[in-house]
Amino acid sequence: LGILAALAFCWSWVLRRKVRAQTGDLRLALEQVQASESLAQHFAAFDSETGLAKPHYFSTLVDQALAELSRTSGQKRKEMMLIQLADLDDVVGAFGKTYSEEWMRQFADHLRALSGGLCAYFGRGVFALFSGEEVLSLPLSPGKQKSNEQPYAHLVGGSAFFPEDGTTSSELIAKAEIALSVCLSTGKQWVIYESTMEPDPINAAIVSAFRQDPVEGLYSVFQPQIDLRSQKIVAAEALVRWNHPDLGFISPDKFIPLIEKAGLVYKV
């Protein structure tokens, strides 16, 4: 009986030791899985180059801030800003990729300090910042540069305001994108969104019509070329005209520039 009791004790001790070891292995494996999931979530939410939020996570943070703001009395005016390094390719070409990446990180730190964290990197040199109106245009100060490098930062920006221009992140970002586009096209440094900047819906309808195959309503007219000496027609120039069944007659001065920008001029 004593021997059996000793054997049972030893067996129980061995089992407990194995259980403890297996429990430790399982705990370690679980911690590794949790760490991997946390790392994956981080990379899904934040840009690896700048450390700023990616667009989808930024939108979530902004919507949360707006929801909290709507619950408080006396809504405070907020500004959605999009800031672009307008000549990113020139910066890379002139100073190299290492310089541009370092500049991006420094500028990201600059925005983070201004916004308290509500900022993002949209890619291709475009940053987003959501904050109070008192920081308007301050993001255009790009922060310190290395002493042995020439500072280079052609920054432009577009703004939209809560609540007059939108009450959700998607609305505010869309309006700020329009303002940034106007800023780039007009050569200005900063543009604030106005309703008059909204694209003409006819323009979108024109481009959409030219994406169809065939394009309805296109026809040719011929402009004669006359020999002044003989007063005879010696040639003719073919000109395109467009009378769309829904849009009506549209001048070439209207639709040709639009389809050229859309890469659809080959359909004329």
Side-chain angles (χ1 to χ4, degrees), residues 55-236:
H56 69 279
Y57 185 56
F58 173 72
S59 295
T60 299
L61 294 177
V62 170
D63 282 331
Q64 290 174 353
L66 292 174
E68 180 64 28
L69 201 62
S70 64
R71 287 192 291 267
T72 61
S73 59
Q75 292 181 342
K76 182 181 178 182
R77 197 172 187 235
K78 293 286 186 178
E79 184 179 10
M80 174 67 72
M81 292 168 271
L82 291 184
I83 307 109
Q84 181 172 352
L85 176 58
D87 297 324
L88 176 60
D89 292 336
D90 292 340
V91 172
V92 175
F95 300 101
K97 186 177 180 181
T98 300
Y99 173 88
S100 65
E101 289 176 346
E102 177 62 22
W103 188 94
M104 292 286 186
R105 285 190 289 270
Q106 290 184 8
F107 189 63
D109 292 340
H110 176 64
L111 290 184
R112 194 181 290 110
L114 285 175
S115 66
L118 287 183
C119 46
Y121 184 56
F122 282 21
R124 296 299 304 162
V126 178
F127 295 82
L129 173 64
F130 181 72
S131 191
E133 60 178 314
E134 65 273 7
V135 302
L136 174 63
S137 80
L138 285 179
L140 296 185
S141 302
K144 63 180 182 179
Q145 303 288 337
K146 290 184 177 180
S147 59
N148 62 339
E149 294 176 333
Q150 293 295 324
Y152 185 101
H154 178 200
L155 290 167
V156 295
S159 296
F161 287 90
F162 167 87
E164 57 263 43
D165 296 328
T167 57
T168 66
S169 63
S170 58
E171 291 174 344
L172 292 171
I173 291 172
K175 301 295 175 59
E177 285 176 340
I178 292 173
L180 177 60
S181 178
V182 172
C183 185
L184 290 168
S185 63
T186 58
K188 296 181 180 180
Q189 190 174 28
W190 198 283
V191 169
I192 296 174
Y193 170 81
E194 296 178 1
S195 59
T196 55
M197 297 175 184
E198 288 289 340
D200 186 347
I202 297 296
N203 293 350
I206 289 172
V207 174
S208 178
F210 268 86
R211 294 190 187 279
Q212 306 301 317
D213 197 13
V215 181
E216 296 184 83
L218 281 180
Y219 62 95
S220 299
V221 296
F222 296 92
Q223 179 172 296
Q225 295 179 349
I226 300 174
D227 184 345
L228 294 179
R229 290 183 179 180
S230 64
Q231 297 297 311
K232 293 182 179 180
I233 296 175
V234 295

Side-chain angles (χ1 to χ4, degrees), residues 37 130 168 219 236 240 246 258:
E37 290 178 349
F130 181 72
T168 66
Y219 62 95
V240 66
D246 297 324
L258 289 172

